[in-house]
Amino acid sequence: MRVTVGRIGKPHGIRGEVTVEPRTDEPEGRFAPGEQLFRESGSDLVVSAMHWHSGKLLVKFLGVDTRNAAEELRGSIVQVERDELEIPQDPDEFYDSNLLGCAVVMLNGETIGSVTDVLHLPAQDVLVVTSGEREILIPFVEDIVPHINIAAQQIVVDPPPGLLTDE
C-alpha cells in the first residue's frame, strides 16, 4: 500500500536540493538516505541526503544535481510503500488507513457507525463517521476519543452533549 509522505516544494540552492512539506509524523525515517519514494506523476526517487534548515526539510535525490532538475520535481506528491498492518511507533499516533473502517462505539457499547474518512484540519483532526446515510464529524481529540483498538477495529468515543444530535 502506498501512502503520501510529502510534497516537494521549491529548489534550494543550485545543487539539486528541494524543500519538502512533510505529510508524515516520521520525516527522519521516511526521508532517510537510501529510502525510495514514488511520485504520483513520474519516476521513482531515491533519497541521497536530508537535513533540516531554518525549520524546513531539505532533501537531495540521486540523479537530481542541478537547480533545473530540482525545479522539475516541484509540486510532486511523494509516497512510500507501507505494509497495511504497520502502525506508528508512538502509541498515540495512527495512520489514517488503520482508522478507516473501524467501528465507532459509545462508552456504553452502543454502535454509532464506522470511520469513512479522516480530515486533517488546521485546528485538529476530525473523524468522519457514517451511520446509515448520515455523516457525523467527531473531533479526534483524547477527551472525545479516549480509546482506540486497531487490532479489534474499534474506536470508543465519549462525545459531549449535542455532538451526535442533528439539533
Side-chain angles (χ1 to χ4, degrees):
M1 148 185 262
R2 287 189 180 173
V3 294
T4 298
V5 293
R7 184 182 150 283
I8 298 176
K10 63 184 181 180
H12 180 82
I14 60 170
R15 292 186 172 84
E17 276 190 321
V18 293
T19 60
V20 173
E21 174 191 323
R23 295 188 181 168
T24 174
D25 290 335
E26 304 163 336
E28 286 80 8
R30 298 300 188 191
F31 295 97
E35 288 295 311
Q36 183 174 13
L37 303 176
F38 303 95
R39 292 193 316 158
E40 287 183 328
S41 59
S43 60
D44 301 343
L45 300 167
V46 176
V47 177
S48 64
M50 69 81 73
H51 63 98
W52 293 93
H53 176 72
S54 299
K56 293 186 179 185
L57 178 61
L58 299 180
V59 178
K60 175 92 172 73
F61 297 107
L62 291 177
V64 179
D65 298 317
T66 66
R67 184 174 185 87
N68 288 342
E71 183 64 46
E72 290 178 21
L73 299 176
R74 186 183 228 169
S76 295
I77 300 296
V78 289
Q79 301 176 321
V80 295
E81 277 295 332
R82 180 177 60 79
D83 185 309
E84 285 188 46
L85 301 176
E86 180 183 332
I87 58 173
Q89 293 177 349
D90 185 338
D92 292 330
E93 292 179 7
F94 303 93
Y95 294 136
D96 293 358
S97 59
N98 295 135
L99 299 171
L100 297 176
C102 284
V104 178
V105 299
M106 301 277 285
L107 286 173
N108 65 8
E110 177 187 345
T111 300
I112 296 170
S114 63
V115 177
T116 54
D117 200 359
V118 180
L119 305 177
H120 300 282
L121 305 177
Q124 66 200 15
D125 294 338
V126 174
L127 299 175
V128 178
V129 178
T130 301
S131 177
E133 293 187 20
R134 185 171 164 231
E135 278 191 345
I136 304 164
L137 302 179
I138 299 178
F140 193 29
V141 295
E142 191 172 357
D143 287 348
I144 298 173
V145 185
H147 184 71
I148 299 170
N149 185 337
I150 295 297
Q153 287 280 283
Q154 186 178 67
I155 298 173
V156 177
V157 296
D158 185 17
L163 182 66
L164 301 180
T165 61
D166 289 332
E167 300 170 4

